[in-house]
Amino acid sequence: MAGDRPLLSNRPSSELSNDRDLAEEDALLTGQRTNRNNPKTWKSWREIGLFVWAVVATAVVIVLAVIYQKHQDPKQSSPNPSGKRNLIFMVSDGMGPTSLSLTRSFMQFQNGAPWSEQLVIDQHLIGQSRTRSTSSLITDSAAGATAFSCALKSYNGAISVLPNYEPCGTVLEAAKKAGYMTGLVVTTRITDATPACFAAHVNMRQEEDRIAEQMIGDYPLGRVVDLMLGGGRCHFLPNTTEDSCRADGKDIVALAKKNGYSYISDRKGFDDLKGGKALDFPLLGLFADTDIPYEVDRRNEDEIYPSLQEMAEAALTALSEATKDSDKGFFLMIEGSRIDHAGHHNDPVAQVHEVLAYDKAFTSVLKFLENDPTEGVMISTSDHETGGLATARQLHETYPEYVWYPGPLANASHSAERLTLEYQNFLSHDPSGDAKISFVKDSIITGLGVHDASDDEIFKLVDQPDTAQYQYADLINRRSQTGWSTHGHSAADVNIYSSDPKTALPLVGNHENTEVGDFLREYLGVDVGAVTKELKEKGMGLTVTDVTGTQISWMGKEPEKGERLDGQNHLASYGGDFKKRHLQHGRGCDCGH
Ligand SMILES: *[C@@H]1O[C@H](CO)[C@@H](O)[C@H](O)[C@H]1NC(C)=O
Ligand SMILES: *[C@@H]1O[C@H](CO)[C@@H](O)[C@H](O)[C@H]1NC(C)=O
Ligand SMILES: [Zn+2]
């Protein structure tokens, strides 16, 4: 081929207007400059004129389109819209991506559904969240929820305080200040880390007595939560009453009433709310001493405890009604709290029913948003993964088969937690050895649906009742070949879901957990910085009386000079903890959630 012929000259002439374009394409392909002289003729001036006209016309069309769209749709999809809006933030505590695989396969098995059948939540996946805290690559729920509430990283155990032990304002507090109504719905103690992080500030999550006081308004900002539904009654009752778990004699229910709250504590009280239509704000509803039972057990005790879905629906109905004539909507946090506990217990039966219950509440929120006239969005995510769950488990030294069986989960009717409680109760009556054996055999068959328990499995339960909970769970884990790598949390990324990926655009993709917090405050358009300032000013020198009568900071135990409240810096490199921890804690240490 002739060297001076354009490389692309064999293209059809219709694609290329003239030789000059060909020369320029050659220059791009070969990296050599074109050399030609082209004086500005009338033709080229005419081309420039046409080009300018085209640019101006396009700009006009874009401007008109934007104006027209604004006119048509006043509730623009943007992370910071103007106008009234509702925000529902759902937290699936401890639910990692594998919890979804586990639950989806279980659902398909149980319903005889095809492999294409999804959970509702599956259809709303938008991204993932990275979860590390300042003190460890593995976060706990306190640091995890502080990332959501304050949009800042802190140490494991921190309830909306920072590593310098100063309080950080939360999105719920700022929402209340801005005129929104606020609510918290959970299935664990309302004083547990996740809900606490929205309306309390303490240096260590264990200070649940203090958290209870703060959540009903006994702290620098006064009352900020309009609605609380969940468990954890025992932290609100004085230590003189039988069901109390408080260290002191303060009656927090009485204090709550003094601060204006209505108080309900049982199923009847909940039913009297008429699904939220007859709910008087502010309301404190505590339906269990500690946690509401796992869904797998609760579903047989419906006359005692409301479900997560029922509580969520009542909250949505009541908050919508109460803000009907307001120019501000509401902020509601709904937590599937005990997915985490099922992970800690390595109990796949409890886990699938917790996730299905969360999926139901999720569905109710979607339905609410579709029907409610006020603009709104739901974001759902987890604070961390729990259990290092795998839908696979190698049972023998030989190379495994690729199998995972949902069947054994479907046959079980109780959680390992419940079976263990019943067993402990039975043991407290000092039964004979034979009676123990038959009790254990019976609980395995009726509680777990397992008909092939080995003698080893039965006698271990009889001889080592202290670890009964793990043993009951493992009977199912071995048969289903469900694997767990820890009874604690893991550093896995967790999923983010939303009712509306357009509005939640800033959370599409892989993000830090603090970016979830950023989205919450930006969507509501609230000033969290002002709340932080107010907390610091009003909290300066503020003390409370502890159980010994000593005056301590309102945020609880303060660190000694040089002391770290998170115990140690878990970011330090490996230092032989593999051996050390056993010496420090001994066997059976169960150190926190
Ligand atoms: C109950 O609390 C009071 C302080 O309010 C304390 O002095 C007392 O020892 C506590 N009683 C029990 C049984 O813990
Ligand atoms: C489930 O229970 C039935 C009897 O109730 C039993 O025949 C079956 O083998 C069990 N399935 C599994 C997977 O354990
Ligand atoms: Zn946990």
Side-chain angles (χ1 to χ4, degrees), residues 423 426-427 430-446 453-465 472 475:
Y423 186 29
F426 168 78
L427 289 176
D430 206 11
S432 71
D434 281 352
K436 281 190 224 171
I437 293 168
S438 69
F439 181 95
V440 164
K441 279 184 173 168
D442 188 57
S443 71
I444 292 174
I445 291 171
T446 59
S454 69
D455 285 352
D456 280 354
E457 287 173 320
I458 292 164
F459 284 106
K460 191 172 178 197
L461 268 167
V462 172
D463 295 338
Q464 298 172 36
Y472 277 124
L475 277 152

Side-chain angles (χ1 to χ4, degrees), residues 407-408 411 449-451:
N411 262 12
V450 168
H451 299 268

Side-chain angles (χ1 to χ4, degrees), residues 1 4-13 16 19 22 26:
M1 290 303 238
D4 60 352
R5 238 181 102 198
L7 289 169
L8 302 171
S9 63
N10 56 350
R11 280 216 220 151
S13 61
L16 302 159
D19 284 356
L22 281 178
D26 275 0

Side-chain angles (χ1 to χ4, degrees), residues 238-240 246-250 546-549:
N239 69 359
T240 46
R246 283 191 74 82
D248 62 25
K250 286 187 200 160
D546 81 356
V547 64
T548 65

Side-chain angles (χ1 to χ4, degrees), residues 116-274:
S116 55
E117 190 94 346
Q118 291 178 298
L119 303 171
V120 174
I121 194 171
D122 284 329
Q123 299 155 47
H124 298 274
L125 178 71
I126 62 163
Q128 278 196 317
S129 163
R130 309 190 293 272
T131 64
R132 63 158 295 177
S133 70
T134 58
S135 61
S136 177
L137 290 175
I138 300 180
T139 188
D140 78 328
S141 291
T146 298
F148 302 144
S149 64
C150 293
L152 293 165
K153 296 267 186 190
S154 195
Y155 58 91
N156 288 3
I159 301 294
S160 289
V161 299
L162 300 182
N164 62 3
Y165 307 110
E166 287 190 345
C168 50
T170 76
V171 61
L172 184 145
E173 290 165 335
K176 182 66 186 172
K177 294 259 170 209
Y180 289 89
M181 289 197 71
T182 60
L184 300 169
V185 171
V186 302
T187 51
T188 181
R189 306 175 308 285
I190 198 80
T191 51
D192 196 26
T194 307
C197 279
F198 287 87
H201 304 269
V202 295
N203 294 321
M204 284 306 280
R205 60 181 291 172
Q206 290 83 347
E207 303 241 17
E208 290 188 46
D209 289 352
R210 189 135 293 113
I211 290 169
E213 295 159 24
Q214 294 191 15
M215 290 180 91
I216 55 98
D218 221 12
Y219 85 133
L221 302 183
R223 198 181 74 213
V224 296
V225 197
D226 295 309
L227 173 63
M228 286 179 262
L229 300 176
R233 202 163 46 209
C234 75
H235 286 288
F236 292 76
L237 304 173
N239 69 359
T240 46
T241 61
E242 201 192 331
D243 295 331
S244 170
C245 56
R246 283 191 74 82
D248 62 25
K250 286 187 200 160
D251 183 344
I252 308 303
V253 169
L255 263 175
K257 287 179 179 165
K258 206 176 114 218
N259 288 351
Y261 283 95
S262 308
Y263 173 66
I264 54 172
S265 60
D266 55 19
R267 179 80 211 201
K268 179 170 183 314
F270 182 79
D271 289 342
D272 289 345
L273 303 176
K274 307 237 176 307

Side-chain angles (χ1 to χ4, degrees), residues 79-80 87 89 146-153 171 379 506-507 511-526 528:
N80 192 5
L87 174 58
F89 181 49
T146 298
F148 302 144
S149 64
C150 293
L152 293 165
K153 296 267 186 190
V171 61
I379 302 293
L507 295 178
H511 297 275
E512 275 303 329
N513 54 5
T514 48
E515 292 175 73
V516 175
D518 288 334
F519 178 87
L520 301 180
R521 58 180 57 185
E522 279 162 25
Y523 181 77
L524 291 176
V526 293
V528 183

